[in-house]
């Protein structure tokens, strides 16, 4: 019962409550395809003038694997191949270049041409998609992450997750890949999650495999106190995804490219709960605050301003961090 | 608003389920315990004879449905004889006939009977059709005189039919009695003869009566014709009243199987020199599962007829299993949404639990681990061949089935019969599990894959253990409406938005913080 009290007091949002009180209520089923299919999200974002990683091409049939795939990769040797309807980072292949007739993966391993083709074929047959439905493979720009993350990521690209509730950013974190996570930015696979103060864009606390950490496990560089560049821009980008999709409870994944700035990587209608651990903060008080004010917030600027004002000090001043 | 709606719905479902359940328990007296009245008795009659040249006709009385004892199954082994069952004077009889036969021949009747637990009413209902002819007294000379005197004396000493009959039976059972009684009894060796004598004496007093022949379903036994128990039924006031000729008590025990009534012999034959009949009675524990499948539910209330018992036995046994699935589903909801255990596939644990019922727990768990392990190996090997997904799944499925076949053959040769039940494993789902597990393995490492595999096994084992509780299986089958109550529970759990138990581990940082401050 003590354990129960601790979670409740911290305002932790549990999975059941997230489903019953947030995603089921604020996210209409018919809007899900907009975010479950990354190609649709991308088209939508482009239409609205939001920046996304450039799409080089789409492979949607076995025929194209033989005829289109390698032509595309010849033009863009640095590219990311991902399933359009994949979830949880499954099925993403990052190519960093070519070696003779072969490809080089982000972990340095060389892949044969047909190995890449096989991977795309697996994507097409729905191996990584929700419910195993047939899928498309998208080939897109490989993000060159901003130098601010140079010392604190291993192999992969760090991404910034912002939870947006009714158009108001409520919590955010940056996920830093590690050797253990194999370059992936997924917390339960071993990536480091660092909470970000919504007001200033400064990292405040970090968690790795459920324990608090101060430095990156692979590089030893300090994670705390990192300032994310162009933070206000990121917040606006994230908040704008509410209008974009109409989803009330949303996880926005953004990457910071060194030349192109913040890009929307993907949207998530059922964002995970680990962000609370990374911030050492429960989501519930913040969600409640937004619920109370939602009808007074009319423009995007108002919503972002509200977030910056309301969620400003909460994490930054927590003595335990 | 939605919440209220849900509560009302759950309430209505619960009330409907429990109401129906209550009615069936109180009014229809369906058993709450699986073993209360599940005693089944197999009665076998073997007719043996040597065929002569003449055409053969054999008539054997067979029991009919009674309120207290119901026929659940009946079969005949007739060789090449024509078989007819007919009803005659309230009795049923099997008639075998053949124009020509050779050698020693055995014919069988086998009936499976169930004590229904319904009280046998003292007065057997009078059926116009089974009106037996009044047995003629058939006394002459001194016997007639003695009998008439006895009747006159007892008539004087009694007030009504019942007291008269009881006085008569008592008199006939006294050993130190007057010469008149002894004289009447001197040729009476068996109870059957005595019952017949009583019927004749009552007929002399103008009281209609008949002998009842049958057997008590008490213990396993091989018996002959002479071991049958006999009762006397006396007609009075539109009803037949049974009396025990040995004890002069009124009533027939509930476990007494009425075979036939009247004075006719059990077995009649034509065209034979001799014909023997032997009986055996056996209690059948194994079949206690298949109760309440009376062949003749006439007169039973609608709800009784409109139940799973009206289905053929084979279909019933399928529903015995299917009716357990909602319990499994509820447990899955509990274990996933309240406890938070992650499994491969939502309802796969239920299917595995069903398979475990057939294989038994240790063998089943071992099978699952071996099959999934081998499947993962095959899947890994096929991965190198770079097959497309659907053909690869099909290939894994085929391999899984071949492995199961090999496993069954090997265990059978080793004399382990449990290996045979492997075939009940949900292999298609198993294949999907193998696929999902291997993707998980590749994407997030063996830790997650093994954790989910283990979670599946734990949940399946738990569900199996719950399903194995005999009373639960019995209740959901005999009272399927209880599933409405389960449904209500599932619906309510559908709105459970509290923490999952595993989230206390996941978010344990917040608890340690709480303690330190």
């Amino acid at each position: 019962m003590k354990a129960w009290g601790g979670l409740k007091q911290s305002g932790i949002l549990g999975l059941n409550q997230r489903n019953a009180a947030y995603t089921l209520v604020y996210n209409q089923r018919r809007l899900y395809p907009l975010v479950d299919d990354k190609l649709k999200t991308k088209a939508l974002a482009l239409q609205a003038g939001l920046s996304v990683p450039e799409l080089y091409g789409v492979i949607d049939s076995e025929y194209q694997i033989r005829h289109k795939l390698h032509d595309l990769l010849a033009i863009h040797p640095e590219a990311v191949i991902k399933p359009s309807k994949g979830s949880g980072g499954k099925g993403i292949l990052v190519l960093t270049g070519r070696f003779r007739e072969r490809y080089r993966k982000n972990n340095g391993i060389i892949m044969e041409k047909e190995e890449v083709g096989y991977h795309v074929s697996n994507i097409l047959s729905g191996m990584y998609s929700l419910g195993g439905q047939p899928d498309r493979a998208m080939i897109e720009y490989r993000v060159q992450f901003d130098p601010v993350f140079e010392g604190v990521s291993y192999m992969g690209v760090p991404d910034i997750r912002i939870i947006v509730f009714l158009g108001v950013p409520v919590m955010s974190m940056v996920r830093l890949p590690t050797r253990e996570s194999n370059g992936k930015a997924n917390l339960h696979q071993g990536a480091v999650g660092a909470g970000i103060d919504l007001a200033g864009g400064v990292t405040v606390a970090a968690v790795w495999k459920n324990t608090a950490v101060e430095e990156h496990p692979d590089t030893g560089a300090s994670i705390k106190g990192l300032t994310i560049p162009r933070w206000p821009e990121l917040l606006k980008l994230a908040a704008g995804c509410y209008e974009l999709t109409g989803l009330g409870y949303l996880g926005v994944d953004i990457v910071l490219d060194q030349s192109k700035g913040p890009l929307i990587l993907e949207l998530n209608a059922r964002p995970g709960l680990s962000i609370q651990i990374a911030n050492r903060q429960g989501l519930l008080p913040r969600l409640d605050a937004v619920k109370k004010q939602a009808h007074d917030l009319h423009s995007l600027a108002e919503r972002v301003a509200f977030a910056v004002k309301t969620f400003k000090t909460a994490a930054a001043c927590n003595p335990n961090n | 608003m939605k919440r209220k709606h849900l509560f009302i719905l759950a309430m209505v479902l619960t009330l409907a389920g429990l109401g129906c359940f209550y009615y069936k328990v109180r009014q229809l007296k369906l058993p709450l315990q699986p073993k209360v009245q599940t005693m089944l008795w197999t009665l076998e009659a073997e007719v043996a004879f040597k065929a002569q040249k003449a055409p053969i006709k054999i008539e054997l009385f067979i029991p009919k449905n009674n309120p207290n004892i119901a026929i659940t199954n009946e079969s005949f082994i007739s060789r090449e004889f024509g078989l007819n069952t007919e009803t005659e004077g309230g009795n049923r009889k099997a008639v075998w006939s053949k124009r020509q036969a050779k050698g020693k021949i055995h014919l069988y009747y086998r009936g499976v009977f169930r004590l229904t637990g319904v009280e046998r009413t003292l007065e057997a209902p009078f059926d116009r059709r089974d009106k037996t002819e009044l047995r003629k007294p058939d006394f002459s000379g001194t016997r007639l005189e003695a009998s008439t005197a006895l009747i006159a004396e007892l008539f004087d000493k009694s007030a009504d039919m019942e007291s008269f009959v009881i006085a008569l039976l008592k008199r006939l059972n006294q050993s130190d009695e007057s010469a008149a009684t002894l004289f009447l009894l001197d040729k009476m060796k068996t109870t059957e003869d005595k019952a017949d004598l009583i019927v004749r004496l009552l007929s002399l007093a103008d009281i209609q009566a008949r002998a009842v022949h049958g057997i008590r379903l008490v213990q396993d036994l091989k018996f002959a014709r002479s071991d049958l128990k006999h009762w006397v039924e006396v007609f009075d006031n539109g009803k037949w009243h049974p009396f025990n000729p040995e004890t002069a008590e009124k009533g027939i025990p509930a476990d007494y199987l009425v075979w036939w009534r009247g004075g006719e012999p059990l077995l009649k034959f034509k065209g034979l020199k001799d014909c023997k009949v032997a009986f055996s009675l056996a209690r059948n524990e194994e079949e206690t599962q298949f109760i309440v499948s009376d062949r003749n539910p006439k007169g039973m209330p609608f709800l009784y007829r409109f139940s799973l018992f009206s289905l053929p036995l084979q279909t019933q046994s399928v529903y015995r299993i299917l009716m357990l699935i909602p319990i499994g589903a509820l447990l899955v909801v509990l274990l996933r949404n309240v406890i938070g255990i992650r499994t491969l596939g939502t309802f796969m644990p239920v299917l595995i639990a069903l398979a475990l019922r057939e294989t038994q727990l240790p063998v089943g768990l071992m099978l699952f681990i071996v099959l999934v392990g081998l499947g993962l190996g095959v899947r890994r090997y096929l991965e190198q061949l770079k097959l497309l997904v659907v053909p690869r799944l099909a290939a894994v499925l085929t391999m899984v089935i071949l492995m199961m076949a090999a496993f069954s053959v090997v265990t059978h040769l080793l004399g382990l019969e449990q290996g045979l039940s492997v075939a009940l494993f949900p292999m298609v789902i198993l294949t999907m599990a193998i696929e999902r597990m291997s993707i998980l393995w590749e994407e997030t490492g063996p830790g997650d894959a093994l954790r989910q595999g283990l979670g599946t096994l734990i949940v399946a084992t738990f569900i199996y253990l719950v399903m194995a509780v005999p009373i639960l299986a019995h209740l959901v089958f005999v009272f399927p409406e209880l599933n409405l109550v389960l449904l209500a529970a599932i619906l309510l759990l559908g709105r459970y938005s509290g923490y999952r138990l595993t989230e206390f581990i996941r978010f344990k940082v917040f608890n340690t913080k709480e303690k330190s401050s």
Side-chain angles (χ1 to χ4, degrees):
Chain A
M1 264 352 267
K2 214 172 182 180
W4 183 276
L7 258 60
K8 196 128 210 164
Q9 237 170 343
S10 310
I12 295 298
L13 178 68
L15 204 51
N16 288 327
Q17 196 174 4
R18 185 203 73 184
N19 291 340
Y22 293 94
T23 54
L24 265 175
V25 178
Y26 295 100
N27 293 351
Q28 290 181 51
R29 192 72 237 182
R30 64 180 173 87
L31 298 175
Y32 274 48
L34 296 182
V35 295
D36 284 346
D37 188 338
K38 294 188 185 71
L39 280 170
K40 279 190 186 154
T41 316
K42 207 180 266 278
L44 213 60
L46 282 175
Q47 224 173 7
L50 302 179
S51 8
V52 291
E54 187 193 340
L55 182 68
Y56 295 149
V58 178
I59 303 291
D60 55 15
S61 68
E62 292 286 329
Y63 175 83
Q64 289 182 343
I65 294 178
R66 265 168 286 135
H67 296 92
K68 189 173 166 190
L69 176 67
H70 297 290
D71 295 346
L72 272 172
L73 291 177
I75 310 168
H76 308 285
E78 279 194 40
V80 177
I81 302 174
K82 55 166 86 164
S84 173
K85 292 176 194 158
S87 66
K90 281 184 194 146
I92 295 177
L93 179 64
V94 182
L95 299 177
T96 55
R98 286 187 85 128
F99 176 72
R100 307 260 166 109
E101 278 299 287
R102 303 178 184 123
Y103 300 99
R104 186 183 291 116
K105 264 202 312 196
N106 60 333
N107 56 6
I109 290 172
I110 302 293
M111 278 180 97
E112 295 290 338
K113 250 181 159 177
E114 63 252 42
E115 275 183 280
V116 175
Y118 180 58
H119 182 81
V120 175
S121 156
N122 276 341
I123 290 177
L124 296 190
S125 44
M127 195 165 126
Y128 305 104
S129 68
L130 289 163
Q133 41 187 322
D135 202 355
R136 291 178 290 179
M138 41 202 285
I139 295 161
E140 63 178 27
Y141 169 70
R142 184 171 89 88
V143 173
Q144 308 291 323
F145 61 80
D146 194 280
V148 71
F149 298 119
E150 200 63 69
V152 289
S153 52
Y154 182 86
M155 249 163 38
V157 179
D159 71 1
I160 294 153
R161 155 70 58 93
I162 302 177
I163 301 279
V164 178
F165 179 50
L166 296 175
V168 181
V170 286
M171 198 176 268
S172 67
M173 68 168 166
V174 56
R175 296 180 293 190
L176 307 163
T178 62
R179 179 195 293 270
E180 178 157 340
S181 78
N182 207 5
K184 287 183 178 132
N186 243 324
L187 288 201
H188 77 274
Q189 288 175 28
V192 174
I196 302 174
D197 171 31
L198 265 182
V202 181
T203 54
V204 289
V207 79
W208 180 60
K209 303 214 305 190
N210 254 342
T211 50
V213 289
E214 301 252 310
E215 58 283 308
H216 193 276
D218 299 319
T219 65
S222 172
I223 296 168
K224 221 170 141 179
L226 227 59
T227 308
I228 314 281
R230 305 166 81 169
W231 182 247
E233 218 175 308
L234 261 86
L235 285 183
K236 269 184 217 142
L237 196 61
C241 290
Y242 175 50
E243 276 90 0
L244 193 69
T245 58
L247 291 163
Y249 189 78
L250 193 62
V252 181
D253 289 353
I254 297 172
V255 283
L256 256 184
D257 189 79
Q258 56 180 352
S259 54
K260 305 187 182 195
L263 304 173
I264 296 174
L265 202 58
E266 62 179 277
L267 304 180
N268 203 319
R270 320 164 193 77
L273 305 168
S274 304
I275 197 168
Q276 302 176 104
I277 306 174
N279 279 280
R280 305 291 197 81
Q281 286 276 320
L283 269 167
L284 285 176
R286 297 186 177 199
L287 295 172
D288 285 341
V290 173
K291 241 189 261 183
K292 271 185 211 135
Q293 288 295 316
H295 54 277
D296 289 334
L297 304 168
H298 304 294
S299 68
L300 193 146
E302 268 176 26
R303 298 199 307 260
V304 173
F306 173 79
V308 167
K309 189 184 80 204
T310 319
F311 308 132
K312 186 180 183 177
T313 49
C317 290
N318 199 320
N320 285 299
N321 297 314
Chain B
M1 194 49 218
K2 264 181 206 147
R3 194 147 263 251
K4 206 168 163 190
H5 181 155
L6 181 72
F7 277 121
I8 292 171
L9 178 65
M11 190 97 89
V12 168
L13 286 172
T14 309
L15 286 178
L18 289 180
C20 202
F21 172 66
Y22 181 80
Y23 171 76
K24 279 163 97 171
V25 171
R26 295 308 300 262
Q27 299 297 314
L28 302 190
K29 300 231 175 352
L30 289 178
L32 273 174
Q33 294 276 338
K35 289 227 168 98
V36 172
Q37 303 154 339
T38 52
M39 205 58 85
L40 288 183
W41 295 89
T42 306
L43 175 69
E44 195 176 275
E46 179 191 6
V47 181
F49 55 86
K50 211 174 162 196
Q52 322 275 185
K53 292 224 164 108
I56 301 169
K57 186 176 180 192
I58 294 163
E59 293 178 33
L60 177 75
F61 280 119
I62 52 177
K64 62 174 185 175
N65 244 336
N66 280 294
N68 61 330
I69 295 173
I71 303 173
T72 50
N73 201 359
E74 237 177 17
S75 61
F76 299 87
I77 297 177
S78 311
R79 306 292 169 207
E80 285 167 351
F81 279 69
L83 169 72
N84 238 340
T85 54
E86 37 193 67
T87 309
E88 184 187 288
N91 292 321
R92 280 177 79 222
K93 111 199 319 193
V95 183
W96 283 286
S97 52
K98 192 165 169 59
R99 196 158 291 279
Q100 255 191 337
K102 255 192 224 164
K104 273 200 160 175
I105 290 171
H106 296 260
L107 301 174
Y108 294 89
Y109 161 79
R110 184 179 292 135
V112 181
F113 300 89
R114 181 177 61 83
L115 296 174
T116 55
V118 173
E119 272 302 296
R120 192 193 171 89
T121 41
L122 284 181
E123 300 92 341
F126 177 61
D127 184 352
R128 274 176 206 290
R129 284 170 303 167
D130 75 356
K131 191 167 192 175
T132 41
E133 284 165 40
L134 195 62
R135 177 90 159 88
K136 291 200 182 88
D138 241 355
F139 295 114
S140 60
T142 42
R143 277 170 165 248
L144 181 64
E145 274 170 41
S147 310
T148 320
L150 180 65
I151 299 253
E153 180 203 338
L154 293 176
F155 192 77
D156 219 35
K157 288 182 183 167
S158 61
D160 54 7
M161 191 282 296
E162 189 177 325
S163 53
F164 174 74
V165 173
I166 288 174
L168 175 65
L169 294 179
K170 277 192 175 152
R171 176 63 64 88
L172 289 174
N173 283 330
Q174 275 165 11
S175 46
D176 57 334
E177 225 357 272
S178 61
T181 319
L182 283 174
F183 174 68
L184 282 168
L185 276 176
D186 67 350
K187 278 186 182 162
M188 311 295 150
K189 294 220 170 57
T190 63
T191 330
E192 188 175 5
D193 294 333
K194 193 193 255 179
D196 188 51
L197 172 69
I198 293 162
V199 171
R200 282 158 62 201
L201 284 172
L202 288 171
S203 159
L204 199 64
D206 260 342
I207 296 171
Q208 194 181 356
R210 63 187 182 185
V212 183
H213 316 279
I215 186 89
R216 288 186 68 172
L217 305 180
V218 181
Q219 62 191 36
D220 284 12
L221 118 131
K222 279 199 185 309
F223 60 98
R225 168 99 172 70
S226 53
D227 294 317
L228 292 179
K229 297 278 175 257
H230 309 274
W231 251 255
V232 171
E233 279 180 337
V234 180
F235 190 68
D236 182 42
N237 214 3
K239 296 276 168 77
W240 290 98
H241 302 258
F243 292 91
N244 185 340
E246 298 286 354
T247 61
E249 279 165 21
K250 200 177 169 188
I252 288 189
D255 55 9
Y256 182 79
L257 172 67
V258 174
W259 202 314
W260 83 101
R261 294 185 164 97
E264 281 195 69
L266 172 63
L267 182 73
K268 281 197 274 192
F269 51 87
K270 258 196 271 180
L272 294 172
K273 266 200 189 134
D274 191 24
C275 184
K276 281 188 185 127
V277 59
F279 306 94
S280 68
L281 183 64
R283 201 190 334 228
N284 200 341
E285 299 270 15
E286 276 172 11
E287 281 186 66
T288 52
Q289 291 264 315
F290 306 104
I291 50 149
V292 213
S293 60
D294 300 345
R295 292 174 114 209
N296 194 6
K298 235 187 281 167
M300 278 305 207
F302 170 75
L303 256 180
Y304 184 89
R305 265 178 294 151
F306 190 78
S307 75
L308 292 171
F309 305 127
S310 60
L311 297 171
L313 281 184
Q314 213 164 4
T315 320
Q316 280 190 30
S317 61
V318 172
Y319 274 100
R320 252 171 216 288
I321 295 170
L322 290 187
M323 280 298 157
L324 284 171
I325 291 182
I327 296 182
L330 173 65
L331 289 175
V332 164
V333 171
L334 271 173
L335 291 169
R336 279 179 72 107
N337 278 24
V338 180
I339 310 283
I341 300 178
R342 291 172 62 194
T343 58
L344 295 164
T346 315
F347 289 109
M348 188 160 93
V350 183
L351 296 173
I352 293 176
L354 288 179
L356 287 180
R357 275 168 53 89
E358 308 295 330
T359 56
Q360 298 311 312
L361 196 55
V363 180
L365 291 183
M366 207 187 71
L367 276 179
F368 179 81
I369 291 168
V370 167
L371 282 177
V372 170
L374 288 174
L376 281 176
V378 170
R379 163 75 169 67
R380 235 191 156 68
Y381 168 72
L382 289 177
E383 180 76 23
Q384 296 179 354
L385 302 180
K386 309 281 176 224
L387 302 178
L388 298 182
V389 172
V390 179
R392 187 179 60 218
L393 277 175
V396 173
L397 176 60
T398 309
M399 284 306 291
V400 165
I401 288 177
L402 286 179
M403 286 185 300
M404 279 163 66
F407 195 90
S408 289
V409 172
V410 170
T411 47
H412 181 64
L413 290 179
L414 290 176
L416 303 165
E417 287 307 308
Q418 276 150 322
L420 296 176
S421 40
V422 69
L424 292 154
F425 257 87
M427 49 255 170
V428 174
I429 294 184
L430 212 60
T431 308
M432 298 303 287
I434 289 169
E435 178 74 11
R436 212 167 306 170
M437 216 166 145
S438 64
I439 293 178
L440 218 59
W441 196 297
E442 264 170 46
E443 294 284 332
T444 70
D448 253 16
L450 293 179
R451 208 169 303 140
Q452 289 202 16
L454 192 69
T456 309
L457 276 191
I458 291 172
V459 172
T461 306
F462 181 69
I463 294 174
Y464 161 77
L465 290 176
V466 173
M467 281 180 174
V469 177
I471 188 152
L472 276 182
H474 169 83
L475 284 179
V476 288
F477 181 71
V478 179
F479 309 100
E481 62 275 9
L482 288 179
N483 280 319
L484 291 179
V485 182
L486 289 183
L487 178 62
I490 290 172
L491 290 177
L492 288 178
L493 276 174
R495 288 301 300 177
Y496 170 75
S497 64
Y499 297 116
R500 296 176 180 181
L501 219 53
T502 48
E503 281 174 345
F504 292 111
I505 299 167
R506 184 175 174 193
F507 295 115
K508 63 171 184 275
V509 209
F510 294 92
N511 280 312
T512 48
K513 193 171 81 180
E514 212 59 36
K515 271 172 213 158
S516 65
S517 59

